[in-house]
Amino acid sequence: MCGIVAYIGSKLAYPVILNGLRRLEYRGYDSAGLAFIENGNLEIHKKSGKVQSLEEHVGDHPINAKIGIGHTRWATHGQPSDINAHPHLSRSGRLALVHNGIIENYSVIREELEQKGYRFESETDTEVLVNFIEDVALHHDGSLEEAVCLALERVVGAYGIVILSLDHPDTIIAARKSSPLVIGIGENEFFVASDATPFLEHTKEVIYLKEERLAVIRGGEITVTDFQNV
Ligand code: GLU
């Protein structure tokens, strides 16, 4: 069982997320990764092995972002490796996604996307999901969160996901089905995680995202919708 930690707020996201991932290490995992949005760039760092190896990999590289996502992976589709580690990027490089769980119909969706010219770097169901969301969004005349809901309607499986979008650098989108996600609400800041342990040192105000719900965190507010009804 792997872990997710995401942050948006007034603090530097990197130390908050890294410490959060450390607090999830008890769950067991084989690789770890991070994504941040800073100065119009979506920056990804990922590494197989321990959170410690990820931290060494990042090294002195400065990360001043106030929004980011982190993940510890327990491989289900594809071996533990740097390439299979999360976050996964969409083809355009504008969406990054972390995922707990399994997309059961990923091979059907992957084939459909390959026929449209998509190519995949990893063996994961997760890279299929982020590209599927991007493809639905490209053909949807509406918001990204609506496109995420439309994509998830086709997805069979269990997931907790968190998405960053370069086109919405002030927004975190999270959704879940049969895999837990918890949201922490602090002073001018929000956390999303697989359980509350990564952010209990920052806030005790917690929302347990209900089954088949999508949360959008933007502009200091959180909106939760039943994604089957969008
Ligand atoms: N199925 C995804 C993968 O293999 C996520 C596994 C997990 O829950 O960490 O990459």
Side-chain angles (χ1 to χ4, degrees):
M1 202 175 38
C2 58
I4 286 175
V5 185
Y7 177 80
I8 181 166
S10 49
K11 296 188 181 113
L12 292 179
Y14 177 44
V16 171
I17 293 173
L18 196 70
N19 284 332
L21 290 180
R22 284 206 188 94
R23 290 184 191 277
L24 290 178
E25 286 193 290
Y26 75 93
R27 296 161 74 101
Y29 65 102
D30 54 59
S31 13
L34 304 157
F36 302 97
I37 296 181
E38 192 182 349
N39 300 328
N41 289 315
L42 188 48
E43 183 176 327
I44 303 243
H45 303 271
K46 49 192 202 173
K47 202 81 195 129
S48 66
K50 294 288 167 199
V51 172
Q52 178 73 32
S53 309
L54 175 66
E55 190 181 5
E56 286 163 13
H57 175 67
V58 173
D60 295 335
H61 181 78
I63 302 174
N64 296 312
K66 307 280 177 70
I67 176 171
I69 54 180
H71 187 260
T72 50
R73 175 176 187 238
W74 185 297
T76 63
H77 293 64
Q79 61 183 351
S81 69
D82 294 352
I83 285 179
N84 287 336
H86 302 205
H88 285 282
L89 273 180
S90 64
R91 178 166 72 169
S92 71
R94 304 191 75 77
L95 293 181
L97 182 143
V98 289
H99 164 220
N100 283 359
I102 292 172
I103 307 302
E104 285 170 25
N105 58 342
Y106 85 102
S107 56
V108 180
I109 298 174
R110 181 172 168 143
E111 265 172 40
E112 286 176 13
L113 291 173
E114 280 172 343
Q115 277 167 17
K116 293 182 174 185
Y118 284 78
R119 295 290 172 263
F120 296 90
E121 276 190 0
S122 79
E123 301 153 282
T124 63
D125 48 346
T126 307
E127 191 186 7
V128 173
L129 180 59
V130 69
N131 279 290
F132 182 50
I133 290 171
E134 176 158 288
D135 192 63
V136 172
L138 283 173
H139 297 96
H140 176 67
D141 191 14
S143 66
L144 175 61
E145 49 264 38
E146 283 168 9
V148 174
C149 293
L150 289 172
L152 292 179
E153 272 177 29
R154 270 232 31 222
V155 168
V156 179
Y159 48 83
I161 59 170
V162 184
I163 301 169
L164 288 186
S165 164
L166 206 42
D167 298 316
H168 306 277
D170 57 349
T171 304
I172 282 182
I173 298 178
R176 69 158 287 229
K177 181 179 185 182
S178 306
S179 182
L181 272 188
V182 181
I183 296 169
I185 303 173
E187 287 264 322
N188 301 317
E189 61 185 0
F190 293 86
F191 308 80
V192 184
S194 328
D195 66 48
T197 48
F199 56 74
L200 281 180
E201 63 182 299
H202 302 283
T203 182
K204 301 283 179 287
E205 197 178 335
V206 174
I207 298 175
Y208 290 85
L209 198 62
K210 288 196 185 135
E211 184 66 358
E212 301 196 2
R213 294 294 192 280
L214 175 130
V216 179
I217 303 168
R218 174 189 293 137
E221 285 182 10
I222 172 164
T223 316
V224 178
T225 45
D226 179 342
F227 61 71
Q228 299 290 7
N229 291 334
V230 169

